[in-house]
RNA sequence: GGGCGACUAGCUCAGCUGGUUAGAGCGCUGCCCUGAUAAGGCAGAGGUCACUGGUUCGAGUCCAGUGUCGCCCA
């Protein structure tokens, strides 16, 4: 017997029950065992940063990941189910620093790098455990570590990393090592579970990748002016730059630069970063721009003509005008020429070894929108300045150290923080009469993406992987040698073979690759990949170590300090190797690696590329990866592609599915302070994860999703429609004591073929055909990674199941219904619901399981005990499909809509029976016409339906030319043809062809439809015409009144809270005439409403009911039944 | 400045390779159905499909340009 089901489900409580059920029955492990050894589907998880609790934006992607994994499991495919955690990098450091109250790198060094790195590992374990719990709550099936075990390892690591620990792998095997090494082995074959990018294997495999890059000459030490966060003490890579733009107020300082060869005249330059004036080298003008000499008081200035209005303060007079090109080469007196650093940089840096002098240079990029049209150039302080300086061979002056302190050689500014030097600089300029004006301006300025500090630019040594040249010609015309020399073109080749969803992803990635600068992989920090680069200070030779064994064999000192540790700072720093060229002892550079290296290597490191190539080749390349598009073009997608191209020159995945961002309900990014943020846990426990998953599946992946409580309510209501059908079924099946006897399809076959069975009703065969079609359609959608189309198809089906199948079948399931027909209805609805639960399973794992448990597991122990252990049902159901029946049924539902419209217009309630209606069908006929029309007649309460043909006086014929078919052929004749068709000027020939508007159209080029003849009260739609007979006989009126009475009794029962199967006594107070008219129907009403109907004086609480023929009062007699 | 995407009803969004009358859900109004009922149906109100131009017999759909927004790059 089915469990009773509430009509108001507690979805959240149900989800927790299902989670417990899965745990108890080890359902996921059994699914894996069931599919083991089958054809594979390889999913590669993009690692989630284990640094904070998971948010609803993570839930979107994770819902997709789980959806497609579950779907492919239902296709019987073997999978790896490995989740990934991103572990290393600045984002973890920043949080640990915040917890400790640190403000800069010196705090970390004082605290101790080993202890700091250990805290970073501990934080990762904390949040990996947390995110694991949250993901399980979301219903995500992965080879999860026990969260408590992750926390235990964290505590053991904190206590003493060297202590010996035994842990249990996810498949139950003991693994023993030191706490530190156990943590370093997480995710490897011996421990199982999620991969952690801080694992030894991940780090060492990146070493071998870097060694390979070095072998090909693509790894180099660069000197660049780069965005730099003085607080974090680190460069910000190009990848990270754009995440940190924000509006900011800065000084806008205008400075006079006296011209050496034009006494009394000065250039006006403008800067928002006064500290860079110490490092001024040149002044740039636009060669095409016009420049003017202006007189202001007793001073004479040069500036761009287009800047006069905003750059000058006060009255002025224009004296001369020249194109910028004529200013080139003018020498001027720099703002801080007496600083030792400036003198040192200029000495011997000019042409032919002479000292360099400040001068005007030409630059196409100069504009007049802001400033003076003359740009202050400090190549050591800005990216564009650096590029210009490099191309012109200008000297470079770099004033800052890594903490943003001005280095020695800058006089009074040395030793001061860059943020504190503006005032003394302005003071000095005033004192030197070089100050013109200081304003405050607001502009977009880059900030550190982690800590929000405004960035500065400084010249630094960093390590890069070369992307290779950009050739100034089309890709098709590149030679093999040119491509071989350029990683970027190799990647472009590789991505051509990838399926990008949505398609524009390919264009974006190509654009990114074409514009990609060399990949900066170093970071001057503590927690991360230890870059295995050994840069010999004696001879300049660079050695890149390719792995732990390589390091061991080269080590000449410090190995004993490193032994037993994971390859992280500070222990790995102790090892020195002999320079491969000069033999001098060389230390590792202190930098750690860019975290995208960590995530990019996972197509290799997580599938045992080095230790088990056979295993690796079975899972590489992945069939599918999915992540949020914004950002990942330049991050994970890029690093995956770059690393795989270097190692294999092939794509690491076949299909990439991208989706957009989760925003708050107001369309803005979620922020706690804006009140539009929803935490994952809150969402899960308030709306339920299936509701969330339904919202996610119904979102267009390429558009941002607006996530809020209202949208969740809407999604929930859709699911409630399904729940209502399910709960109706269970309620009545229990009432009837009905149970399925053998399987799903077998059941309906058996019932349908019994000798005593009437023909299997068309309505039943229709819904079975629909669900079979749905199975096929959703399979096709999900195979194409189209969750949206799948969800829409399901939604349409649920709608039809509820508002047509169930609505039309309710009476059949009542206790009073014909037993054979009732059994057919139960078997059909049961089969449809079970099939639907299986189709829903990937999207709504909990709701579908809940339905399946009750409809199958509670009654048939021989079948799989979880919906997720069943196979996709399309093949099983395929021979139930009947397209002809489906299209005929679609006509019938349109008939019903039209009748409702007509009844509304005529003011005749559906409760009032009508004698007749007439229908003209658009096409020749319906399949199983009589049975289908009976459905319509019953639904709209009409006693008989007559079909009418062309000859009827009720309809005219109309011709609808089929434009897609004739458009091309007819061309400009179309307007005439269409207006002839509209106005009825046509002739239908005996063979079915039609002449109109001067042409003859073949029978298959037109559709001949019925249309109401003017003046008749009919409704029509696409050639379907419906007419109702509005004449009401006394008999019909009485019957309508009887239905009204039935309604009133049911209302009274409901008001009294009477149970469905309770018998009640009803007292009806009515005039004699009405009583007589109702008499023939009393028995039927009485049976239908389970009541004994007495006429007489109604109880005081009885409700008055307006009938067509007068008013009656209907009441439930007290004391009969009820709560 | 360059690339990609979006712009359709008050709100959230569908509209396939162009086909003549642009749809749904939510919200609003009226009516109806109803022992699934905090659901459902019918009808109504609500749209210059961002704008301009082009291609075409025909453009929400294709092309070009403009504007606004978002993301990316410089």
């Amino acid at each position: 017997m089915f469990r009773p089901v509430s009509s108001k489900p507690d979805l959240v409580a149900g989800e927790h029950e299902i989670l417990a059920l899965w745990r108890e029955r080890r359902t996921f492990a059994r699914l894996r065992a069931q599919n083991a050894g089958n054809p594979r589907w390889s999913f590669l998880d993009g690692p989630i940063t284990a640094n904070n609790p998971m948010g609803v934006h993570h839930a979107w992607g994770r819902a997709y990941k789980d959806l497609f994994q579950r779907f492919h499991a239902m296709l019987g495919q073997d999978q790896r189910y490995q989740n990934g955690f991103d572990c290393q990098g600045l984002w973890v450091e920043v949080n640990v620093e915040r917890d400790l109250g640190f403000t800069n790198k010196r705090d970390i060094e004082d605290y101790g790098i080993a202890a700091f790195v250990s805290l970073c590992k501990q934080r990762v374990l904390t949040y990996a455990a947390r995110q694991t719990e949250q993901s399980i709550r979301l219903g995500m099936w992965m080879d999860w570590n026990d969260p408590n075990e992750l926390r235990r390892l964290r505590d053991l690591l904190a206590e003493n990393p060297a202590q010996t620990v035994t842990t249990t792998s996810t498949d139950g095997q003991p693994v023993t090592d030191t706490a530190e090494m156990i943590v370093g082995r997480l995710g490897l074959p011996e421990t199982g579970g999620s991969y952690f990018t801080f694992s030894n294997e991940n780090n060492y495999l990146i070493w071998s990748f870097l060694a390979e890059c070095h072998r090909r000459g693509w790894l180099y030490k660069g000197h660049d002016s780069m965005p730099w966060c003085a607080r974090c003490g680190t460069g910000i890579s190009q990848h990270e730059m754009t995440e940190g733009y924000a509006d900011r107020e800065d000084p806008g300082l205008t400075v006079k630069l006296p011209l050496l060869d034009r006494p009394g005249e000065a250039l006006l330059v403008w800067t928002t970063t006064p500290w860079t004036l110490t490092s001024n080298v040149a002044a740039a003008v636009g060669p095409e721009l016009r420049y003017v000499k202006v007189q202001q008081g007793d001073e004479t200035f040069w500036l761009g003509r287009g800047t006069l209005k905003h750059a000058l303060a006060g009255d002025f007079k224009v004296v001369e005008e020249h194109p910028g090109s004529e200013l080139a080469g003018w020498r001027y007196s720099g703002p801080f020429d007496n600083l030792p650093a400036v003198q040192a940089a200029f000495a011997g840096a000019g042409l032919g070894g002479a000292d360099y002098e400040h001068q005007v240079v030409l630059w196409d990029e100069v504009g007049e929108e802001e400033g003076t049209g003359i740009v202050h150039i400090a190549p050591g302080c800005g990216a564009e300045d650096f590029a210009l300086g490099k191309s012109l061979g200008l000297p470079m002056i770099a004033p800052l150290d890594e903490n943003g302190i001005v280095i020695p050689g800058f006089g009074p500014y040395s030793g001061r923080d860059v943020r504190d030097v503006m005032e003394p600089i302005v003071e000095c300029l005033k004192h030197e009469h070089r100050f013109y004006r200081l304003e405050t301006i607001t502009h977009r300025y880059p900030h550190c993406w982690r800590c929000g500090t405004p960035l500065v630019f400084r010249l630094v040594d960093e390590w890069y992987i070369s992307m290779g040249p950009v050739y100034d010609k089309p890709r098709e015309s590149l030679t093999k040698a040119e491509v071989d020399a350029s990683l970027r073109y190799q990647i472009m080749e590789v991505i051509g073979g990838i399926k990008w969803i949505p398609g524009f992803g390919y264009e974006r990635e190509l654009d990114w690759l074409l514009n990609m600068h060399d990949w900066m992989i170093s970071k001057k920090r503590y927690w991360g990949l230890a870059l295995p680069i050994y840069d010999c200070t004696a001879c300049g030779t660079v050695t890149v170590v390719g792995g732990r064994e390589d390091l061991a064999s080269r080590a000449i000192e410090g190995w004993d300090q490193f032994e037993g540790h994971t390859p992280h700072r500070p222990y790995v720093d102790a090892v020195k190797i002999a320079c491969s060229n000069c033999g001098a002892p060389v230390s590792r550079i202190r930098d750690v690696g860019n975290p995208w290296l960590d995530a990019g290597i996972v197509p290799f490191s997580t599938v045992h590329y080095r230790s088990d190539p056979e295993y690796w080749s079975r899972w590489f390349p992945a069939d599918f990866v999915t992540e949020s598009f914004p950002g990942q073009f330049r991050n994970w997608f890029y690093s995956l592609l770059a690393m795989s191209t270097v190692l294999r020159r092939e794509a690491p995945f076949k299909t990439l599915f991208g989706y957009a961002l989760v925003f708050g309900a107001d369309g803005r990014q979620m922020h706690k302070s804006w009140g539009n943020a929803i935490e994952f846990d809150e969402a899960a426990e308030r709306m339920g994860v299936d509701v969330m998953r339904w919202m996610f599946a119904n979102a267009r992946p390429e558009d941002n999703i607006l996530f809020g409580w209202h949208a969740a309510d809407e999604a929930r209501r859709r699911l409630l429609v399904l729940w209502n059908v399910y709960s109706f079924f269970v309620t009545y099946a229990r009432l009837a004591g009905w149970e399925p006897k053998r399987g799903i399809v077998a059941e309906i076959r058996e019932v349908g073929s019994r000798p005593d069975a009437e023909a299997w009703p068309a309505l039943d065969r229709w819904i079975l055909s629909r669900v079979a079609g749905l199975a096929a359609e959703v399979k096709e959608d999900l195979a194409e990674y189209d969750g949206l189309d799948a969800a829409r198809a399901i939604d349409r089906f649920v709608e039809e199941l509820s508002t047509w199948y169930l609505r039309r079948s309710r009476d059949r399931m009542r206790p009073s219904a014909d037993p054979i027909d009732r059994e057919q209805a139960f078997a059909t609805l049961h089969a449809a619901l079970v099939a639907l639960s299986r189709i829903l399973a990937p999207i709504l794992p909990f709701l579908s399981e809940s339905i399946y448990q009750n409809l199958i597991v509670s009654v048939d122990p021989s079948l799989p005990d979880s919906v997720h252990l069943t196979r996709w049902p399309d093949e099983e159901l395929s021979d139930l499909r009947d397209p002809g029946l489906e299209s005929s049924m679609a006509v019938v539902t349109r008939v019903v809509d039209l009748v409702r419209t007509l009844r509304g217009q005529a003011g005749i309630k559906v409760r009032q029976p009508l004698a007749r209606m007439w229908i003209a069908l658009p096409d020749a006929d319906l399949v199983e016409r009589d049975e289908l029309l009976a459905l319509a007649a019953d639904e709209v309460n009409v006693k008989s339906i007559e079909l009418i043909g062309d000859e009827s006086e009720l309809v005219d014929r109309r011709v609808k030319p089929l434009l897609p078919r004739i458009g091309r052929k007819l061309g400009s004749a179309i307007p005439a043809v269409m207006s002839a068709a509209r106005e009825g000027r046509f002739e239908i020939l005996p063979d079915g062809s039609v002449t109109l508007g001067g042409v003859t159209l073949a029978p298959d080029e037109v559709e001949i439809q019925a249309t109401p003849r003017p003046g008749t009260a009919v409704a029509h739609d696409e050639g379907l015409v419906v007419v109702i007979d509005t004449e009401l006989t006394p008999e019909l009126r009485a019957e309508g009144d009887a239905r009204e009475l039935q309604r009133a009794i049911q209302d009274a029962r409901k008001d009294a809270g009477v149970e469905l199967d309770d018998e009640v006594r009803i007292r009806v107070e009515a005039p004699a005439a009405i009583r007589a008219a109702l008499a023939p129907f009393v028995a039927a009403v009485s049976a239908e409403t389970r009541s004994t109907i007495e006429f007489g004086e109604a109880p005081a609480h009885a409700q008055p009911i307006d009938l067509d023929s007068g008013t009656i009062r209907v009441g439930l007699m007290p004391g009969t039944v009820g709560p």
Side-chain angles (χ1 to χ4, degrees):
Chain A
M1 192 74 146
F2 304 120
R3 264 185 292 114
V5 171
S6 157
S7 62
K8 290 164 197 162
D10 184 343
L11 296 177
V12 171
E15 288 168 1
H16 284 288
E17 279 167 31
I18 299 292
L19 285 170
L21 192 78
W22 287 341
R23 227 179 3 250
E24 238 167 70
R25 297 187 184 160
R26 301 182 56 253
T27 310
F28 175 52
R30 288 163 50 220
L31 173 67
R32 296 189 71 181
Q34 182 173 302
N35 287 339
N38 286 358
R40 286 169 296 273
W41 185 71
S42 178
F43 169 69
L44 179 67
D45 187 36
I48 179 172
T49 305
N51 188 37
N52 277 306
M54 158 182 156
V56 287
H57 57 291
H58 292 114
W60 191 10
R62 291 168 99 67
Y64 280 133
K65 290 173 181 180
D66 192 57
L67 194 172
F68 294 117
Q69 287 194 143
R70 284 183 188 271
F71 171 67
H72 282 276
M74 291 180 82
L75 300 182
Q77 288 170 302
D78 195 2
Q79 295 174 55
R80 294 186 65 246
Y81 293 108
Q82 191 176 32
N83 171 77
F85 289 114
D86 207 2
C87 308
Q88 303 183 139
L90 187 56
W91 39 59
V92 180
E93 287 192 47
V94 166
N95 281 281
V96 172
E97 280 182 273
R98 188 181 301 150
D99 291 348
L100 294 171
F102 290 178
T103 56
N104 60 42
K105 289 168 76 169
R106 280 182 293 276
D107 292 338
I108 296 171
E109 309 232 352
D110 293 346
Y111 182 77
I113 296 175
F116 182 77
V117 162
S118 177
L119 286 178
C120 290
K121 289 181 177 177
Q122 291 167 39
R123 183 179 179 91
V124 166
L125 290 170
T126 296
Y127 286 102
R130 183 94 169 79
Q131 293 178 344
T132 296
E133 288 165 342
Q134 293 178 303
S135 302
I136 290 171
R137 175 67 186 87
L138 180 64
M140 200 177 181
W141 272 0
M142 284 284 190
D143 181 20
W144 297 114
N145 303 82
D146 176 357
N148 291 325
E149 181 64 4
L150 292 177
R151 282 186 283 257
R152 187 179 75 97
L153 291 177
R154 173 199 63 193
D155 294 342
L156 292 169
L157 185 71
E159 198 178 279
N160 174 13
Q163 65 183 305
T164 301
V165 168
T166 297
T167 187
T168 310
S169 71
T170 55
D171 53 11
Q173 304 304 311
V175 185
T176 302
D177 209 329
T178 62
E180 177 173 348
M181 290 309 269
I182 286 279
V183 169
R185 288 165 66 179
L186 285 173
L188 302 188
E190 61 272 19
T191 63
S194 297
Y195 71 78
F196 288 72
T197 61
F198 63 28
S199 74
N200 300 343
E201 177 63 11
N202 215 64
N203 281 298
Y204 287 130
L205 199 48
I206 298 169
W207 284 19
S208 77
F209 161 78
L210 293 172
E212 176 64 19
C213 289
H214 182 56
R215 197 182 62 75
R216 298 196 205 173
W218 291 345
L219 186 77
Y220 70 94
K221 179 167 73 176
H223 311 272
D224 204 354
S225 166
M226 58 178 338
W228 190 270
C229 174
R231 195 215 72 88
C232 297
T234 182
I236 301 295
S237 79
Q238 189 192 356
H239 305 105
E240 301 153 332
M241 255 294 270
T242 51
E243 300 191 11
Y245 274 91
D247 280 339
R248 166 181 166 76
E249 286 195 346
D250 266 317
L253 175 64
T254 309
V255 177
K256 309 170 196 168
L257 297 176
L259 289 162
L260 294 180
D261 304 308
R262 292 170 162 260
E265 300 179 12
L267 304 171
L268 281 184
V269 300
W270 182 81
T271 181
T272 59
T273 48
W275 63 273
T276 64
L277 288 169
T278 58
S279 307
N280 175 273
V281 169
V285 297
E288 311 290 334
L289 299 179
R290 306 290 299 181
Y291 287 84
V292 292
K293 180 163 94 175
V294 300
Q295 198 78 43
Q296 202 167 35
D298 55 357
E299 294 184 290
T300 306
F301 303 123
W302 286 86
L303 73 167
R305 188 181 66 183
T307 71
L308 283 171
K309 271 186 194 150
H310 59 255
L312 289 180
D315 297 337
F316 60 87
K317 195 171 88 194
V318 175
V319 185
E320 284 177 38
E321 179 172 328
H322 297 274
S325 53
E326 291 180 15
L327 277 60
W330 290 6
R331 301 181 307 142
Y332 65 89
S333 160
F336 293 97
D337 284 347
N338 51 355
L339 293 177
V342 176
Q343 289 169 359
F346 284 14
L351 285 176
D355 288 353
Y356 174 83
E357 291 179 291
H358 290 283
Q359 57 185 268
V360 174
V361 298
L362 299 179
W363 191 28
D364 288 328
E365 301 297 311
V366 175
E368 296 188 313
E369 295 77 33
E370 53 183 14
T372 61
I374 305 179
V375 179
H376 148 63
I377 300 293
C381 305
E384 291 167 334
D385 300 38
F386 176 80
L388 179 67
K390 210 167 158 187
S391 71
L392 296 177
L394 301 178
M396 314 243 169
I397 306 170
L400 300 182
D401 77 2
E402 61 177 32
N403 293 312
I405 308 298
V406 180
I407 59 175
F410 289 85
Y413 314 114
S414 293
R416 304 186 73 150
D417 191 291
V418 61
R419 286 164 288 196
D420 301 332
V421 298
M422 185 188 96
E423 269 186 43
I425 281 176
V426 168
E427 280 316 304
C428 175
L429 291 170
K430 283 182 176 166
H431 184 256
E432 304 273 324
H433 304 293
R434 286 161 179 268
F435 177 86
Y436 181 80
R437 183 164 74 161
L438 178 63
E439 339 151 72
T440 299
I441 58 123
T442 303
H443 61 160
R444 268 167 74 74
Y445 193 81
H447 291 67
C448 176
W449 64 290
R450 290 310 316 187
C451 73
T453 304
L455 301 179
V456 295
F457 288 80
R458 64 182 289 265
L459 275 191
V460 288
D461 290 349
E462 294 286 3
W463 292 83
Y464 296 84
I465 295 172
S466 165
M467 290 296 293
V470 178
Y471 303 112
D472 189 16
K473 54 179 173 180
R475 266 174 69 203
E476 312 79 75
S477 60
L478 296 179
T479 65
K480 184 170 180 302
E482 284 169 330
V483 173
D484 286 347
S486 180
L487 179 56
R488 84 177 66 237
Y489 288 98
Q490 293 178 22
I491 301 176
M492 286 186 204
E493 274 180 5
V494 161
I495 68 172
I498 292 169
K499 180 172 181 187
W500 297 80
I501 307 171
F504 64 76
Y506 175 64
E507 320 292 329
R508 278 206 185 180
E509 189 68 32
L510 271 186
D511 182 61
W512 163 253
L513 288 169
L514 202 57
N515 292 302
M516 172 68 192
H517 288 198
D518 291 347
W519 185 10
M520 189 187 83
I521 56 166
S522 56
K523 235 174 215 309
K524 294 179 167 38
R525 293 295 303 188
Y526 305 95
W527 168 234
L529 169 84
L531 287 174
I533 300 171
Y534 293 77
D535 187 11
C536 179
T537 49
C539 72
T541 300
V542 171
T543 305
V544 177
V545 171
R548 186 174 185 276
E549 299 69 27
D550 192 13
L551 182 65
S553 68
R554 291 171 185 268
I556 54 171
E557 58 178 278
W559 182 262
D560 49 338
Q561 290 167 61
F562 172 56
E563 183 76 68
H565 291 290
T566 62
H568 292 107
R569 296 189 69 186
Y571 301 108
V572 70
D573 296 345
V575 180
K576 288 187 181 177
I577 66 167
C579 172
S580 52
N581 181 50
C582 72
V586 192
S587 294
R588 195 187 72 82
I589 62 165
R590 286 297 174 261
D591 305 37
V592 296
N594 179 303
W596 296 110
L597 287 167
D598 305 345
I601 201 69
V602 300
F604 301 94
S605 61
T606 65
V607 277
H608 327 318
Y609 181 55
R610 297 193 303 177
S611 60
D612 189 351
E614 199 276 327
Y615 178 87
W616 172 81
S617 67
R618 273 183 289 164
W619 296 99
F620 181 99
D623 288 295
F624 184 63
V625 299
T626 176
E627 295 299 325
S628 174
F629 260 146
Q632 299 301 346
F633 288 98
R634 60 178 198 281
N635 290 331
W636 194 50
F637 301 158
Y638 166 72
S639 64
L640 279 176
L641 291 164
M643 294 174 94
S644 184
T645 303
V646 168
L647 292 175
R648 305 285 315 175
R649 209 157 166 176
E650 62 179 315
F653 49 83
K654 294 177 186 165
T655 297
L656 185 153
F657 173 73
Y659 51 92
L661 299 170
V662 175
F663 283 136
D666 55 3
R668 301 188 299 169
Q669 214 122 24
M670 283 192 185
H671 274 290
K672 277 182 195 145
S673 56
W674 291 346
N676 64 350
I678 298 176
E679 304 282 330
F680 173 78
D681 295 345
E682 187 192 8
E685 301 312 325
R686 266 180 68 185
M687 63 179 75
V689 296
D690 268 348
V691 167
M692 234 190 287
R693 293 174 65 125
W694 187 246
M695 290 166 77
F696 290 142
N698 276 285
R700 249 176 59 122
E702 57 265 53
D703 287 345
N704 296 333
I705 185 168
L706 306 187
F707 192 90
W709 297 108
H710 180 74
D713 275 347
E714 264 190 57
R716 183 167 192 281
R717 270 211 296 280
R718 303 305 305 170
L719 301 188
L720 283 184
V721 173
L722 166 62
W723 186 270
N724 274 332
V725 177
Y726 163 61
S727 113
F728 179 96
F729 169 78
V730 170
T731 304
Y732 283 86
R734 280 174 57 85
L735 212 53
W738 184 87
E739 268 189 27
K741 287 163 199 75
R742 64 190 68 218
I744 301 160
V745 175
E747 180 68 27
I748 57 178
R749 290 284 145 65
E750 201 237 352
V751 177
S753 61
R754 282 218 308 259
D756 58 341
E758 295 297 309
W760 195 254
L763 185 65
D764 291 349
R765 283 179 285 116
W766 168 75
I767 197 68
L768 293 171
S769 172
R770 283 283 290 119
V771 81
L774 181 71
E777 184 180 359
V778 171
K779 181 186 188 181
E780 213 169 288
D781 289 336
L782 293 185
E784 295 293 314
Y785 305 105
D786 192 341
L788 177 55
D789 268 5
R792 283 187 184 145
I794 290 169
D795 204 42
R796 276 193 303 275
F797 175 79
V798 169
E799 183 80 16
E800 289 178 39
L801 177 67
S802 167
T803 64
W804 188 242
Y805 180 77
L806 186 61
R807 188 182 168 83
R808 282 283 85 235
S809 299
R810 277 179 301 189
D811 291 347
R812 303 169 59 201
M813 300 185 196
R814 298 231 167 94
S816 56
D818 169 64
I820 291 174
D821 185 50
R822 189 174 65 183
E823 193 162 334
Q824 288 172 331
F826 281 138
T828 301
L829 183 52
H830 182 260
L833 282 171
V834 171
L836 178 61
S837 77
R838 294 163 68 185
I839 295 166
L840 284 173
I843 304 180
L844 305 175
F846 294 96
L847 190 58
S848 60
E849 183 74 298
S850 171
I851 293 173
Y852 181 89
Q853 288 298 322
N854 199 16
L855 296 189
I856 291 292
V857 181
S858 68
V859 293
D860 189 343
S862 71
L863 292 170
D865 70 6
S866 165
V867 71
H868 303 291
L869 296 174
T870 67
R871 285 296 189 100
W872 194 257
D874 63 320
E875 285 172 26
E876 208 175 308
L877 301 173
S878 63
D879 62 348
L880 294 171
R881 297 189 65 176
D882 185 346
L885 178 58
E886 286 188 40
S887 61
S888 290
M889 191 66 92
V891 173
V892 171
T893 56
R894 264 164 64 218
V895 167
V896 168
D897 287 348
L898 292 174
V899 175
R900 288 200 184 108
T901 303
L902 285 172
R903 277 181 171 275
Q905 286 166 0
I908 303 173
K909 291 180 178 182
V910 177
R911 220 173 287 151
Q912 173 62 59
L914 296 177
R916 290 186 302 173
M917 59 186 279
W918 299 271
I919 303 176
L921 295 171
D923 297 311
D925 204 354
L926 300 175
V927 301
E928 311 188 44
R929 191 178 69 197
D930 294 346
E931 193 180 350
L932 293 189
L933 290 182
L935 284 173
D938 197 41
E939 171 69 16
V940 295
N941 200 13
V942 175
K943 293 195 175 301
S944 75
I945 297 184
E946 291 172 24
L947 289 177
I948 52 178
D950 296 345
E951 71 285 355
S952 164
E953 74 264 18
L954 294 171
V955 294
D956 273 340
R957 285 196 294 177
R958 189 170 76 120
V959 167
K960 182 186 175 192
L962 298 173
L963 275 166
R965 234 172 260 180
I966 60 166
R968 185 150 304 185
K969 186 170 96 181
L970 295 188
S972 58
I974 284 184
V977 171
M978 294 309 288
S979 69
R982 249 193 310 273
E983 291 156 23
R985 289 183 281 106
F986 56 83
E987 188 184 352
I988 300 176
L989 304 176
D991 66 347
S993 58
V994 175
T995 50
L996 78 174
V999 300
T1000 300
L1001 296 178
D1004 65 345
E1005 292 171 334
V1006 294
E1007 209 175 281
I1008 297 175
Q1009 302 178 332
T1011 189
R1013 191 161 279 178
T1016 33
V1018 296
H1020 66 109
D1021 171 40
E1022 285 291 306
L1024 180 65
V1025 181
V1026 173
V1027 188
I1028 58 170
D1029 182 355
T1030 56
E1031 192 192 331
L1032 297 178
T1033 62
E1035 290 75 24
L1036 287 172
R1037 287 180 195 278
E1039 198 178 336
D1041 286 349
R1043 273 186 73 157
E1044 201 78 55
L1045 172 65
Q1046 179 176 322
R1047 241 326 305 106
I1049 295 172
Q1050 299 286 33
D1051 274 352
R1053 287 182 61 115
K1054 271 197 276 184
D1055 284 350
V1058 173
E1059 290 301 317
L1060 268 176
D1061 46 356
D1062 291 335
E1063 295 281 346
V1064 295
R1065 277 172 61 214
I1066 294 288
R1067 183 67 63 80
V1068 178
E1069 187 179 318
I1074 297 182
R1075 194 186 295 187
L1078 288 176
F1081 305 103
V1082 166
V1085 171
S1086 171
E1088 194 61 38
T1089 58
R1090 295 205 153 207
S1091 46
T1092 311
I1093 297 173
E1094 308 159 1
F1095 287 95
E1097 191 179 337
H1101 62 269
Q1103 293 296 311
I1105 309 294
D1106 285 329
L1107 298 185
D1108 205 49
S1109 45
T1111 300
I1112 62 174
R1113 293 178 67 232
V1114 177
L1116 198 67
M1117 291 302 280
T1120 46
V1121 279

